[in-house]
Amino acid sequence: MAFQKAVKGTALIGGGAIATVFGLSQFSQYRNKHGTFVHVQAAEAVTVPIRNHFPTREEQILTLQTTSEFDVLVIGGGATGCGCALDAVTRGLKTALLERDDFSSGTSSRSTKLIHGGVRYLQKAIMKLDFEQYKMVKEALEERANLLEIAPHLSAPLPIMLPVYKWWQLPYYWFGIKLYDIVAGSQCLKSSYVLSKSRALELFPMLRKDELVGAIVYYDGQHNDARMNLAIALTAARYGAATANYAEVLRLLKTTDAASGKERVCGVRCRDVLTGQEFDVKAKCVINATGPFTDSVRKMDDQEVPNICQPSAGVHIVMPGYYSPDNMGLLDPATSDGRVIFFLPWEKMTIAGTTDSPTDVTSHPIPTEEDINFILNEVRNYLSVDVEVRRGDVLAAWSGIRPLVTDPNSKDTQSISRNHVVTISDSGLVTIAGGKWTTYRAMAQDTIDAAIQAHDLKAGSSKTIGLQLQGAEDWSPTLYIRLVQDYGLESEVAQHLASTYGDKAFEVAKIAQVTGKRWPIVGKRLVSEFPYIEAEV
């Protein structure tokens, strides 16, 4: 057993040299293809004017009803769907987006809140010499850098500690984490480092002390996933995309191509969920970006098509903030079922997750007691015996359905792809499935590229790298101070508004009600313990 572990460590070290070469070559190609993030702002390349007046939902619905034909119609208002709409509209395509519920109401708001490349995927790539897994990690790390740049108010680097309880694991994990830094190249957030036992306990006093050897700290990004999704949707709308939530697609519309005699998808029949009104939306290209509901839309196109989505439930639980430090996460690299568990500070609370178990596709998946207890047991393994991990401390739990897919274009149709898959049906329906939150922009770019080619649309290349999202343009880390000084908001409330709305926080502050107290002057809290105020509603 010890020999196997040593061999694994050697493989990882040797693989590191290979990955370093791959990383440098891939990074060079990426820079040549896309230019430098810092010096080239995509907004300068976008010729589509940005709206000063933000359209209401009623105006958006009217646009959907009265436009004779859109170039692109996206079904699904999650991260990928909104990303597709933003990518399409900034290329100058007439774009529409329909979401049957709230934006980000599904999987996109039920993540681990991390913007990451996937440490475990890199390990698999090296162990199995899997270049596809390596490319997926490389792409995700590039997208991580972009996402942190385009929405700094909603995201930030987060240090994550990997505690080590066996001496031989220290060099093993160290090489793996250093490799993660190397693959990130110049886009590495901060360099990883090793901690002694005493220093690790100083930074994470809740850790189990018995047999602790030391720890390794590395950096990934953390973001407010639901607000990030909404920021993408708002940005697409600012650039002119007709976006509507609570607009449910009932069926696909088809027409017969005069030249080929084939049926082609030419739009959708949808229903305004709030009013019950039904209407048609015509489009040259329809994109299916519905995540776990991918197959249900594909079957609207062709009842006989085989399923490609393999839904997997990822459960997270929320615990009190005293379970973790304010600014340090924890990674359990080897749980009892072989998955990794993250233990992260979030909104003054602690998030722990995730699980990975087969599930059925439902609109509102519910976490099982078994999954909750599994996470609690893993948490107990890493926390000090002084900390009693209680079921009653679970303040909330959610389940998100990962839309893992089998690639219908692959010869080996049984293998599940962790990467994204873009397919085009005989009738022209474009489907984007799989992937991960961090790579939503790259997924959208690939989707619109495929749509342009398949439907002969007139548009240039993607312009979303470096394109700042709603709220990012005039945001700064000290913006909240101006909110306190100019409007008389509490500091905690001002920080919340600045990190939620970015430079649009002033618009919320302007409509905040006077409290009638000496301090704060404005901003009535909805609940005394939390910084949410009435003006936000």
Side-chain angles (χ1 to χ4, degrees), residues 34 42 45 87 90-91 441 444-445 448-449 460-465:
H34 296 299
D87 191 286
T90 50
R91 297 194 201 202
R441 193 214 60 83
Q445 178 179 327
I448 302 303
D449 283 346
S461 58
S462 176
K463 297 175 174 63
T464 51
I465 288 182

Side-chain angles (χ1 to χ4, degrees), residues 45-211:
V46 177
T47 56
V48 181
I50 194 161
R51 293 173 173 175
N52 291 322
H53 163 69
F54 199 87
T56 64
R57 181 177 181 276
E58 288 74 18
E59 290 171 333
Q60 296 281 39
I61 291 287
L62 186 62
T63 302
L64 290 166
Q65 291 172 333
T66 57
T67 301
S68 58
E69 186 181 49
F70 289 94
D71 294 318
V72 171
L73 167 61
V74 183
I75 308 172
T80 307
C82 292
C84 287
L86 179 58
D87 191 286
V89 76
T90 50
R91 297 194 201 202
L93 294 169
K94 194 180 292 184
T95 306
L97 181 142
L98 301 173
E99 162 58 44
R100 72 177 178 185
D101 208 322
D102 281 311
F103 295 114
S104 194
S105 59
T107 305
S108 294
S109 62
R110 303 176 191 185
S111 73
T112 315
K113 320 296 181 191
L114 285 179
I115 311 170
H116 64 120
V119 174
R120 66 184 183 278
Y121 299 137
L122 182 60
Q123 182 188 24
K124 290 176 183 175
I126 301 306
M127 293 302 182
K128 298 179 181 178
L129 295 177
D130 187 336
F131 189 57
E132 286 304 310
Q133 291 260 22
Y134 166 78
K135 283 200 301 183
M136 185 177 71
V137 174
K138 181 68 185 161
E139 178 184 62
L141 288 171
E142 288 161 352
E143 293 301 325
R144 179 187 73 177
N146 183 59
L147 199 48
L148 286 164
E149 182 190 338
I150 64 176
H153 58 303
L154 296 170
S155 60
L158 176 73
I160 300 175
M161 183 183 290
L162 195 161
V164 180
Y165 287 91
K166 292 183 173 62
W167 278 107
W168 69 266
Q169 288 179 331
L170 200 59
Y172 174 72
Y173 287 136
W174 183 83
F175 276 113
I177 294 298
K178 273 297 168 192
L179 183 57
Y180 194 59
D181 290 350
I182 291 168
V183 173
S186 68
Q187 294 162 350
C188 177
L189 300 180
K190 289 183 182 179
S191 186
S192 56
Y193 55 91
V194 177
L195 292 174
S196 64
K197 176 179 178 177
S198 60
R199 182 69 177 137
L201 290 171
E202 185 182 330
L203 292 175
F204 209 118
M206 308 83 176
L207 266 184
R208 177 167 62 87
K209 304 176 183 65
D210 304 345
E211 300 176 11

Side-chain angles (χ1 to χ4, degrees), residues 398-409:
W398 66 80
S399 177
I401 302 176
R402 290 187 197 84
L404 305 179
V405 290
T406 52
D407 187 349
N409 305 317

Side-chain angles (χ1 to χ4, degrees), residues 436-499:
K436 53 194 285 187
W437 220 122
T438 307
T439 59
Y440 85 91
R441 193 214 60 83
M443 292 165 65
Q445 178 179 327
D446 291 348
T447 305
I448 302 303
D449 283 346
I452 288 169
Q453 186 174 4
H455 293 271
D456 196 26
L457 303 175
K458 301 294 181 273
S461 58
S462 176
K463 297 175 174 63
T464 51
I465 288 182
L467 182 69
Q468 290 190 311
L469 299 182
Q470 170 95 347
E473 190 172 347
D474 295 320
W475 178 87
S476 73
T478 56
L479 181 141
Y480 79 95
I481 298 174
R482 285 170 54 202
L483 289 170
V484 175
Q485 292 177 337
D486 295 353
Y487 294 93
L489 287 161
E490 289 176 85
S491 182
E492 186 186 16
V493 170
Q495 286 176 314
H496 159 68
L497 294 181
S499 63

